[in-house]
Amino acid sequence: MAGILDTVDQRTQLVGENRLELLMFRLAGRQLFAINVFKVQEVLQLPKLTLMPHRHRHVCGVVNLRGKTLPVIDLSQAIGMRPVVPGPDSTIIVTEYNRSIQAFLVGSVDRIVNMNWEAILPPPGSAGRQHYLTAISKVDEQLVEIIDVEKVLAEIVPYSAKVSREKLEDPLLELARGREVLLVDDSSVAVSQLRETLSQLGVKMHVASDGLKALNMLKAWADTGQVMTDKLLMIFTDAEMPEMDGYRLTTEIRNDPRLRSLYVVLHTSLSGSFNESMVKKVGCDNFLSKFQPDKLVDVVRQRLMLDQVPA
């Protein structure tokens, strides 16, 4: 168990190559599930679990891990399956999403696989757990379901998309009203948050559920002869998406003379210096951790300020 994440330090080599590493695990049955290794801090045996009064029904309790108190979430129950009963031999996956750290109780951990994003596909409309999936894939002929962890966490701790009054009173933001932006994300929760926040600025929004769809959309607009920096104020893209990730999307944008001047913001649930360094590597203009409405507006303001600089 201790060695299962030994390859995590190599993950920066995958950025811009449209590849990812998935940590596969099982919950209350034989079905394989997965999350991106980028989000995983460690995998370990469940420490002593402390029950808390008035906890959310999907939270088993809390654990103390190196001086930090972390909630333990029954991931199986959270996505509508039968609960995993915690015991001394139980396994938890410690993750970081949106500047918060939490542990997910799982049935067992399988292994880490290195894959190409082109092999990661949107879930079919008939998928029973589609509500909690961002994608599916196959490993050794077995179906692997990739969980929309952002949705799970948003149901436990609801996010706010409301922008503070003092931010909205900035007269520079009037220049955003009526402008168009492109939102690229496979998580319905993340798209909803972006829509709710940006609607307060009066912008018009286009949405693509993965990088490939976004790239095709951009090229189709460019093919009509439109000046893309006039067409779009900016692009917000997630990092992890089926078929083409946000890093590769940015690389493709920079390689197309018609698109390369577009302002691209990496909008991701993974915070920290890793993404900041990767933003520079692939050529994004800005980086923003998700579910921060005031900071989202700050990024829009930074983009608008570029238009105020004399040529």
Side-chain angles (χ1 to χ4, degrees), residues 110-167:
D110 186 82
R111 59 192 158 118
I112 287 174
V113 290
N114 185 312
M115 300 189 70
N116 192 305
W117 272 111
E118 293 171 358
I120 310 296
L121 304 174
S126 58
R129 283 182 292 275
Q130 183 183 7
H131 196 48
Y132 290 98
L133 301 182
T134 59
I136 60 170
S137 190
K138 274 194 172 182
V139 176
D140 298 334
E141 300 305 313
Q142 286 188 282
L143 180 69
V144 179
E145 299 184 349
I146 301 171
I147 295 177
D148 187 350
V149 178
E150 291 172 15
K151 179 170 181 57
V152 170
L153 294 176
E155 291 183 350
I156 295 172
V157 182
Y159 65 86
S160 171
K162 187 174 178 59
V163 181
S164 64
R165 178 184 296 180
E166 51 269 32
K167 293 288 183 184

Side-chain angles (χ1 to χ4, degrees), residues 35-310:
I35 58 175
N36 197 319
V37 170
F38 276 16
K39 308 297 179 64
V40 178
Q41 291 195 345
E42 57 185 317
V43 177
L44 67 159
Q45 190 171 319
L46 176 67
K48 181 182 178 182
L49 188 67
T50 302
L51 302 182
M52 301 289 288
H54 312 299
R55 66 187 184 275
H56 190 279
R57 66 185 184 280
H58 299 328
V59 176
C60 308
V62 298
V63 295
N64 187 283
L65 196 61
R66 287 182 286 281
K68 292 184 178 180
T69 301
L70 306 181
V72 178
I73 298 166
D74 183 342
L75 191 52
S76 183
Q77 186 179 31
I79 66 170
M81 298 175 62
R82 60 185 173 88
V84 172
V85 180
D89 297 324
S90 296
T91 299
I92 59 172
I93 302 173
V94 180
T95 65
E96 179 191 357
Y97 284 83
N98 304 323
R99 307 168 314 284
S100 68
I101 300 174
Q102 54 283 310
F104 291 110
L105 178 69
V106 300
S108 62
V109 166
D110 186 82
R111 59 192 158 118
I112 287 174
V113 290
N114 185 312
M115 300 189 70
N116 192 305
W117 272 111
E118 293 171 358
I120 310 296
L121 304 174
S126 58
R129 283 182 292 275
Q130 183 183 7
H131 196 48
Y132 290 98
L133 301 182
T134 59
I136 60 170
S137 190
K138 274 194 172 182
V139 176
D140 298 334
E141 300 305 313
Q142 286 188 282
L143 180 69
V144 179
E145 299 184 349
I146 301 171
I147 295 177
D148 187 350
V149 178
E150 291 172 15
K151 179 170 181 57
V152 170
L153 294 176
E155 291 183 350
I156 295 172
V157 182
Y159 65 86
S160 171
K162 187 174 178 59
V163 181
S164 64
R165 178 184 296 180
E166 51 269 32
K167 293 288 183 184
L168 292 177
E169 289 176 347
D170 186 338
L172 184 62
L173 294 178
E174 278 299 312
L175 298 176
R177 192 167 299 277
R179 296 294 304 272
E180 298 178 42
V181 299
L182 175 59
L183 316 178
V184 192
D185 205 305
D186 60 333
S187 169
S188 60
V189 172
V191 170
S192 294
Q193 184 262 343
L194 281 167
R195 281 188 177 278
E196 289 177 45
T197 300
L198 292 171
S199 64
Q200 296 168 68
L201 304 182
V203 299
K204 178 181 177 181
M205 289 164 271
H206 304 276
V207 177
S209 58
D210 63 63
L212 184 58
K213 289 185 178 68
L215 184 62
N216 289 337
M217 190 181 297
L218 291 167
K219 289 187 173 183
W221 285 329
D223 287 343
T224 66
Q226 298 184 70
V227 177
M228 294 307 296
T229 49
D230 293 340
K231 167 73 176 175
L232 289 177
L233 178 65
M234 58 203 308
I235 300 170
F236 291 94
T237 179
D238 189 18
E240 307 168 24
M241 293 174 289
E243 298 195 88
M244 181 182 288
D245 65 21
Y247 303 114
R248 181 62 176 270
L249 170 62
T250 305
T251 299
E252 294 292 334
I253 288 172
R254 299 304 180 223
N255 288 337
D256 189 323
R258 304 169 303 169
L259 308 177
R260 64 167 55 128
S261 296
L262 286 167
Y263 192 91
V264 181
V265 179
L266 189 69
H267 185 242
T268 173
S269 54
L270 181 63
S271 56
S273 58
F274 166 72
N275 256 326
E276 292 171 4
S277 62
M278 290 307 101
V279 161
K280 295 176 183 177
K281 178 179 176 180
V282 300
C284 291
D285 295 285
N286 217 322
F287 161 76
L288 180 66
S289 188
K290 288 181 179 178
F291 307 134
Q292 301 183 88
D294 277 7
K295 290 191 176 182
L296 184 66
V297 171
D298 286 341
V299 169
V300 175
R301 189 181 188 282
Q302 290 170 33
R303 166 63 186 92
L304 292 170
M305 287 184 68
L306 294 177
D307 292 338
Q308 308 307 302
V309 179

